[in-house]
Amino acid sequence: MTKITLEHALMAEVEARQFVKQKPVRLGSRIMDPKAQIVAEFVQSIRVPGYFPPIKELRQQLVRAVQLLDEKPVLLGRKEDIKIPCKFSDLSARVYAVEQNASNLLPVLLYFHGGGWVQGDLDTHDGLCSRLALASGAMVVALDYRLAPENKFPAAVDDCFSCFQWLITEGKIIGADPKRVAIGGDSAGGNLAAVVSQMAGKAGSNKPVFQLLLYPATDLEFKTHSHIERKNDEFIPHDRMEWYLEQYLNSPQEKKDYRASPGINPDLRGQPPSLVIVGGFDPLRDDARLYADSLSNAGVDVVFHEYTGQIHAFMTLTKAIPTGLVAIRETADYMRRRFTLT
């Protein structure tokens, strides 16, 4: 059996199709994208099942993976690290915009990175956020919220909601339009985006003009069919997701708090227009679809797109999985259209 290496993960699409031709991965009618399949097998080949390295090493692993497998960030007129005075502490954030000095206030997307509430930072999502800013023309503000296990639930939630409120009240300081603030995130960040949107509705304050939920974790019970199908997923197998929850939550009972599991909220009326993207080979697939259905049933304008052949995190692995760039363009187009309507 051929040992999968980094060189395999970065091979051209035509070579990848030929490489997996005799052993495609199937899930019902779904066929995994050859590029995604090779990346998944590469990740599986370098991981020790059931082993979780020390937190510092684990975080560095994600940084390194993105450096190797994601395209470099695009050049922008403005890319600036700032501090945002949030409720509990000053938090680091990164501002992205096409121009250094825009003549008008820009619509702004507040972005929460993924990483299981344990990993991820401004650098792991630098490429994604820069591309969203370039393609949409909007400002993107990426937040470096507090991570677990040093800061358990609801620290990340509090940080994200506080930063959203700051943009609503003080966004002009950085050139953001307080009347056009949207939120978004991927994976754990998608979870946080959904939670912040719900919190804004309950608080009776300004709500996001829309939300981007990229393969979000919406129900922390992890019991849908896709979790069963993908129990041994190469990126986020079930044991790894449970380990993340052990780091993030103070007790299993907190899974029943809508601020941890936004999908359990029975009343989603008044939530903002939503774009929900997920991969067909992602354990979070069904959770994302069910949340999109619940939003739609509550009268929310929802666009749901399953990239049938894709795996978790494919939008931050664009050097190895070019379809990630397609999904980013779709997301940026949605941003541009929605901001135009506000």
Side-chain angles (χ1 to χ4, degrees), residues 86-89 91 117 143-163 192 196 199 247-250 254 259:
C86 293
K87 184 176 181 180
F88 296 95
S89 62
L91 295 174
W117 306 276
L143 180 66
D144 199 15
Y145 57 85
R146 289 175 293 170
L147 296 176
E150 299 92 335
N151 302 280
K152 286 184 172 286
F153 175 83
V157 171
D158 291 337
D159 289 350
C160 294
F161 185 62
S162 180
C163 185
L192 293 168
V196 168
M199 289 176 67
Q247 313 311 306
Y248 181 50
L249 301 178
N250 300 281
E254 288 179 334
R259 295 173 301 165

Side-chain angles (χ1 to χ4, degrees), residues 25 30 34 67 138 168 207-208 258 287 316:
V25 174
R30 298 176 176 87
Q67 288 174 342
I168 293 290
K207 289 180 287 189
Y258 84 94
D287 291 337
T316 51

Side-chain angles (χ1 to χ4, degrees), residues 160-287:
C160 294
F161 185 62
S162 180
C163 185
F164 170 69
Q165 291 180 308
W166 183 83
L167 282 172
I168 293 290
T169 59
E170 307 293 339
K172 289 182 180 179
I173 294 173
I174 61 170
D177 185 349
K179 296 180 180 179
R180 294 186 289 170
V181 181
I183 57 176
D186 63 290
S187 196
N191 167 281
L192 293 168
V195 170
V196 168
S197 182
Q198 291 188 25
M199 289 176 67
K202 289 178 179 292
S205 59
N206 291 352
K207 289 180 287 189
V209 295
F210 61 81
Q211 59 180 344
L212 307 176
L213 307 179
L214 312 179
Y215 28 89
T218 57
D219 186 342
L220 303 191
E221 290 290 351
F222 300 150
K223 290 182 177 179
T224 54
H225 184 60
S226 59
H227 282 291
I228 297 171
E229 286 182 320
R230 299 293 295 167
K231 181 178 180 180
N232 297 315
D233 184 79
E234 297 85 359
F235 267 82
I236 48 171
H238 188 77
D239 64 342
R240 176 171 285 255
M241 288 191 286
E242 290 294 343
W243 182 85
Y244 281 141
L245 293 190
E246 290 174 6
Q247 313 311 306
Y248 181 50
L249 301 178
N250 300 281
S251 71
Q253 287 69 38
E254 288 179 334
K255 295 178 185 179
K256 299 299 184 182
D257 188 324
Y258 84 94
R259 295 173 301 165
S261 294
I264 69 173
N265 190 341
D267 186 4
L268 297 176
R269 289 174 297 177
Q271 285 297 289
S274 307
L275 172 65
V276 183
I277 288 179
V278 73
F281 287 79
D282 190 332
L284 299 177
R285 181 195 71 221
D286 287 350
D287 291 337

